[in-house]
Amino acid sequence: QNQHPPRCRLVRHSTAKMATLSAAKKIVKSDKSRPTELEQTVAQAMLDVELSSDMKADLRDLHIVAAREVDVSATKKAIVIFVPYPELKKYHRIQVRLVRELEKKFSGKHVCIVAQRRILRKETKGNHVKRQMRPMSRTLTAVHEAILDDLVYPTDIIGKRTRVRLDGTKLLKIQLDEKDAQNIEGRLETYKRVYKKLTGKEAVFEFPQRVA
């Protein structure tokens, strides 16, 4: 009797298990919590890209911290991938190509890569502890500014202005470099929704000649 089919199934099972374990190593969670299903899926997609593209050497030592979906419209979602801050520059080297490959795997969902940053609260009498002075990069304002830069990378932000509405609410207007208009025209709403989700602030992303 032919015993090869069961053996083949065993080999396939072992290979799949090894791939899952390898993908799990791409996830680094500071709180040691269990990765979500989405995070596991993103990690596996990154591993697939690593093994099937010329980005293998670049992706080998890159990780993710978290991933979450954001509703862009009634029919479209975006995936935000949070990466360790020390690895951000390495991501930037391949970000355009990596995002393109990941978006193919996620059926056209926009993929945004954002560094994980920690906000340190302003010291008050109530939370005073003995520590070094709070770095400017850890303030709420600095982290929100950095998120803007991450979202639109590699496009440059060439201008920002804040509009105060009659009801006192604020709207941040972000002017982007016109030279990238053709490539990111379809991503402006994604930037807006993701920034709102991550910071709670309203912003619109536009190009200089379209500013009223």
Side-chain angles (χ1 to χ4, degrees):
Q1 190 176 358
N2 189 350
Q3 297 297 319
H4 290 300
R7 184 179 179 184
C8 289
R9 285 197 294 272
L10 180 61
V11 170
R12 284 196 295 270
H13 176 73
S14 298
T15 303
K17 187 174 181 180
M18 287 176 64
T20 301
L21 290 173
S22 297
K25 292 179 181 178
K26 305 293 285 183
I27 307 172
V28 179
K29 299 184 80 69
S30 58
D31 59 0
K32 307 299 182 184
S33 60
R34 185 180 180 84
T36 65
E37 184 176 342
L38 175 62
E39 289 164 354
Q40 293 175 17
T41 302
V42 169
Q44 185 62 57
M46 285 186 60
L47 181 63
D48 291 344
V49 173
E50 177 183 326
L51 298 177
S52 63
S53 72
D54 61 355
M55 291 181 276
K56 185 172 184 178
D58 297 293
L59 282 168
R60 185 183 296 122
D61 298 321
L62 295 184
H63 307 84
I64 69 169
V65 176
R68 64 191 294 190
E69 277 191 337
V70 174
D71 291 324
V72 177
S73 68
T75 57
K76 191 170 182 67
K77 294 179 183 289
I79 296 176
V80 184
I81 302 174
F82 296 90
V83 305
Y85 177 75
E87 297 180 10
L88 184 62
K89 286 186 178 180
K90 292 182 180 179
Y91 267 99
H92 282 174
R93 294 175 194 163
I94 56 169
Q95 185 160 323
V96 174
R97 287 183 293 151
L98 176 60
V99 166
R100 186 186 305 123
E101 292 303 315
L102 290 176
E103 289 181 347
K104 289 178 186 176
K105 292 183 175 294
F106 291 116
S107 305
K109 290 179 182 177
H110 285 160
V111 171
C112 301
I113 294 177
V114 176
Q116 182 83 349
R117 295 178 177 87
R118 184 183 170 198
I119 297 172
L120 293 180
R121 289 188 302 165
K122 188 174 182 179
E123 191 175 277
T124 63
K125 289 182 180 179
N127 70 353
H128 177 74
V129 292
K130 235 181 183 180
R131 64 185 179 200
Q132 292 180 328
M133 186 179 296
R134 180 178 62 157
M136 288 299 295
S137 61
R138 296 291 187 87
T139 65
L140 180 71
T141 300
V143 170
H144 287 183
E145 290 280 322
I147 289 173
L148 280 175
D149 291 329
D150 289 355
L151 276 180
V152 303
Y153 186 87
T155 299
D156 291 325
I157 294 174
I158 61 173
K160 299 173 189 171
R161 61 184 181 133
T162 302
R163 176 186 170 191
V164 181
R165 300 189 182 100
L166 293 176
D167 61 1
T169 58
K170 296 179 180 179
L171 176 67
L172 185 60
K173 293 199 168 189
I174 309 298
Q175 298 176 28
L176 303 174
D177 195 332
E178 177 66 24
K179 69 178 175 61
D180 292 330
Q182 187 174 352
N183 296 326
I184 64 172
E185 182 82 44
R187 305 179 76 90
L188 301 185
E189 187 66 19
T190 295
Y191 296 156
K192 172 183 175 180
R193 299 294 179 182
V194 171
Y195 188 69
K196 171 74 172 178
K197 190 72 174 180
L198 299 185
T199 68
K201 295 179 178 178
E202 288 192 59
V204 292
F205 296 79
E206 54 199 4
F207 302 102
Q209 79 275 17
R210 302 179 192 179
V211 177

